[in-house]
Amino acid sequence: MPRFTETGALIATRELGAALAETLGDSPACLMPRHGAVTAGPDATTAVMYAVLLERACRTQLMAMAAGGSKTWSDDAEVAFKRNQVWNPAQRDAGWNYLQRLSERNL
């Protein structure tokens, strides 16, 4: 996953926005040390679900590392397979619908 290291502050200028977009490239997400993560997609639903899934994946990874778990990583082929399996449109829409139902209950 790409990392944007030019700033850990808000992206408040056109130049920083262009630099972040260049770092993001074709990736659905980018880490910003000292800030958090940025996600992008063809629509708001996709970008939000990428953010939710990325946060969960990062939390799981940190817990595994804290427990002394394996520090191995998926190769590119496995990453592509997992991305298609977990981040496909049907899964994305199911997650979005779930979040909407949760928010409606909490109103």
Side-chain angles (χ1 to χ4, degrees):
M1 176 173 300
R3 284 169 176 72
F4 182 73
T5 58
E6 289 191 36
T7 185
L10 295 176
I11 304 302
T13 67
R14 187 176 296 268
E15 294 78 22
L16 282 173
L20 176 60
E22 183 176 335
T23 299
L24 189 62
D26 291 333
S27 179
C30 178
L31 296 178
M32 293 178 64
R34 303 177 321 277
H35 180 84
V38 172
T39 58
D43 51 55
T45 298
T46 303
V48 167
M49 289 310 300
Y50 284 169
V52 169
L53 293 168
L54 178 59
E55 181 183 345
R56 288 179 183 172
C58 289
R59 189 178 315 127
T60 300
Q61 181 65 39
L62 287 171
M63 286 189 303
M65 291 169 70
S70 174
K71 295 179 183 167
T72 60
W73 313 105
S74 299
D75 62 27
D76 291 343
E78 186 176 36
V79 167
F81 175 77
K82 287 178 180 179
R83 182 175 291 155
N84 185 48
Q85 187 179 43
V86 177
W87 293 23
N88 67 62
Q91 287 296 103
R92 180 204 59 221
D93 292 345
W96 177 256
N97 291 334
Y98 171 74
L99 291 177
Q100 283 185 310
R101 288 191 306 272
L102 280 180
S103 68
E104 289 168 1
R105 277 192 248 155
N106 294 322
L107 290 178

